[in-house]
Every structure is written in structure tokens, then in C-alpha cells.
């Protein structure tokens, strides 16, 4: 009843699937036990003009092509290097603009022991990777933690104002 209620709701986006971690759901397990079911779920929601999103707060290394095969539309809270082995570059390489990435700023890059210079380098690389900016919603993945250096968060906001207008050059 839940999928039917979601499909007939006014919600334009349905969140289904979470924490596909390459250690807990390695590629063979994902392929054999998750993929077909998730494809059915995606097809069902797409038949009802819904976008399908999953919470991507885990290391997706090795799963990126399967996630594309599912038919997901949005990877919300995408966690990447240095919090996970997977990189933003790899996700963009495999998904292109077919899956909207929502994330990009690993929360730990806003904290020590990462230096201000490492933070700046990460953010510059991020903007280079997402250019021209299609299919991307910049956000902190997973959340701001108590150890966040607030000035870095403010600096990220200033960088968005400076460089975040599409098309990003």
C-alpha cells in the first residue's frame, strides 16, 4: 500500500533506498539481491511521473553503474572522498547528467585536521568537476557536525556566490 500511496500522492519526488554501502552491499550482492527489485520500483514510480531519489550517504564504490541501471533520478546527500572511497569525478563520469547529484561537500572537509588550504583545494576541484553545473545541487554531505569551522561554511557560501552560477566556467 505504501508504494501505491506514494505514487498517487502530490509529491513529485519519492525517496526509496538508502545507505547502499559497498562493504555491506558489495556489487555481487547488489546485483543479485537489490537490482531487479529496485528497477521495478523505479519503473513503477516513473509510470506515475515521479522522480526517484535515494539517500546516498555511504561509500558507493563499485555500485555507481548499478545505481545508474536502477533508474534513479537523484542521489541525495552524496558522500564522496575524503569521507568515502568514491569520488565526485567518478560519479560524474558514470552518471553524467542522468542522475542529479545533491551533495559534494563532505562534512569532514569543514573540520580539522583538514587545513584551510585543503578545504580551498577541495572546493576548487569540486567546481571544476561539476562544471557546467547541470544536474547538481551543492550541499553538505551528510550534515554539519559540531566541529565544523563556521568560517569554512561561510567561505563555501561565498564561493557559491562567486562561482556557482550556471553555466560554471
Amino acid at each position: 500500500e505504501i508504494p501505491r500511496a506514494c505514487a498517487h500522492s502530490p509529491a513529485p519526488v519519492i525517496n526509496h533506498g538508502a545507505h547502499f554501502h559497498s562493504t555491506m552491499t558489495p556489487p555481487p550482492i547488489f546485483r543479485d539481491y537489490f537490482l531487479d527489485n529496485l528497477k521495478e520500483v523505479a519503473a513503477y514510480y516513473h509510470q506515475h511521473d515521479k522522480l526517484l531519489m535515494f539517500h546516498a550517504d555511504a561509500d558507493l564504490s563499485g555500485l555507481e553503474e548499478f545505481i545508474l541501471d536502477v533508474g534513479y533520478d537523484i542521489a541525495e546527500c552524496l558522500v564522496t572522498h575524503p569521507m568515502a572511497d568514491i569520488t565526485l569525478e567518478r560519479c560524474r563520469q558514470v552518471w553524467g547528467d542522468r542522475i542529479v547529484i545533491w551533495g559534494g561537500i563532505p562534512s569532514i572537509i569543514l573540520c580539522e585536521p583538514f587545513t584551510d588550504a585543503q578545504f580551498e583545494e577541495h572546493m576548487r576541484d569540486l567546481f571544476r568537476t561539476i562544471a557546467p553545473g547541470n544536474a547538481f545541487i551543492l550541499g553538505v554531505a551528510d550534515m554539519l557536525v559540531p566541529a565544523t569551522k563556521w568560517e569554512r561554511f561561510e567561505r563555501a557560501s561565498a564561493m557559491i556566490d562567486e562561482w556557482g552560477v550556471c553555466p560554471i566556467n
Side-chain angles (χ1 to χ4, degrees), residues 55-149:
H55 185 66
D57 175 23
D59 186 4
L60 301 174
S61 299
L63 301 176
E64 53 273 21
E65 292 183 16
F66 291 123
I67 288 167
L68 182 63
D69 289 345
V70 166
Y72 278 113
D73 301 293
I74 304 166
E76 177 264 333
C77 193
L78 180 68
V79 172
T80 58
H81 183 77
M83 283 180 70
D85 287 339
I86 196 162
T87 64
L88 183 57
E89 293 85 1
R90 175 68 179 153
C91 292
R92 287 299 254 190
Q93 176 188 24
V94 175
W95 299 343
D97 290 348
R98 293 182 285 175
I99 296 179
V100 173
I101 294 173
W102 186 349
I105 304 174
S107 60
I108 63 171
I109 203 76
L110 300 170
C111 306
E112 293 179 349
F114 291 96
T115 65
D116 290 342
Q118 289 171 312
F119 164 76
E120 290 279 335
E121 180 181 343
H122 177 86
M123 292 300 294
R124 289 177 190 280
D125 287 345
L126 183 151
F127 280 99
R128 279 191 286 273
T129 300
I130 66 171
N134 300 333
F136 194 87
I137 301 168
L138 187 61
V140 175
D142 172 47
M143 63 182 161
L144 291 177
V145 296
T148 297
K149 293 182 76 175

